[in-house]
Amino acid sequence: MEWIVRRRVPDYQYMQATFAALRGKYPIAHGTVCGRSLCGRSIYAFTLGEGDGPAVYTAGYHGQEWLTTLVLLRFLEELGYALANGKELAGVSAASALEGRSAVLIPCVNPDGVEIALHGPRAAGKYQPLVEQAMRGSAEKWNANARGVDINHNFDAGWEIAHRMERAMGVTGPAPRRYGGERPESEPETAAVTGACRQTDARSLLCLHSQGEEIYWQYGEHTPRRAQMMARILSASSGYRLAQPARISSHGGAKDWFIAERGRPGFTIEIGRGTNPLPIENFESIYLRLREMLMLFLLM
């Protein structure tokens, strides 16, 4: 089988072409635009199945973590192929897995951030001066959106606590990473995720990040009981260890918001090991290790 999603850096041009190709080849995967970035780039989403309350998969929150986007695109393609052709994926019938269930996949939450990380400040359009200013004197690699807001610090879950931590670290405005914005949910990329979850009444949320081969599944007293069992299954399948985020990473994330607002299981999966951006050569091995886990998440 020759896959559409190959080992290639997923800049926005690639995303547009891949979206069109997947929607054309697998109409069973309903492709839509669930939001637009600050620079007007489409935030693509695919829906499979017709059950209520989908499992929502997300990736590409940070500019340097574009390998997560490739992983989710390949899973989307393999799931679409298996569903269209009556095949199994990771030993599970795709049709049976989606019987009475549905899934929503958002492969790249922050397309502006990925473009800036890959192609520099010019990719920010009218926000280029802001990006250049935020980069000046910083050794940090670009993870934020075009306004210098770290999307995974912009969700409404302990945002005020994280904001105080940011300031204590010297992050007081737009930056390559860690700045959570002027208020929670201020960014259109954040709204694309919260909107998709609220509108579909999502039953669970999975967020792909890199790196560390870790799974985060808790957020205080709001964590549902079944989340621990689900986390253990995901860990056993992937070999990734269960962990707890520390300090500034403990609040403001998509997983945290989903658990706090929805009271349902949310997970952050830190894929691979090394230094971001992870090498493109690691794509196939990382994906193959996660394929079963991604399929199990749909079933739970």
Side-chain angles (χ1 to χ4, degrees), residues 132-140 176:
E132 290 175 338
Q133 177 64 33
M135 283 181 169
R136 194 167 298 153
S138 174
E140 299 279 11

Side-chain angles (χ1 to χ4, degrees), residues 11-82:
D11 62 10
Y12 188 61
Q13 184 178 14
Y14 175 87
M15 283 293 300
Q16 288 178 304
T18 302
F19 174 77
L22 290 174
R23 190 166 60 171
K25 189 170 184 179
Y26 303 109
I28 200 166
H30 180 58
T32 60
V33 173
C34 69
R36 293 195 181 275
S37 71
L38 276 172
C39 295
R41 294 183 174 99
S42 298
I43 301 173
Y44 298 114
F46 287 86
T47 301
L48 296 96
E50 298 179 354
D52 294 331
V56 176
Y57 299 75
T58 57
Y61 285 85
H62 290 141
Q64 299 292 331
E65 299 179 9
W66 43 258
L67 202 70
T68 62
T69 292
L70 272 188
V71 167
L72 197 50
L73 282 171
R74 174 61 68 83
F75 177 66
L76 166 65
E77 181 174 13
E78 289 200 11
L79 184 57
Y81 173 81

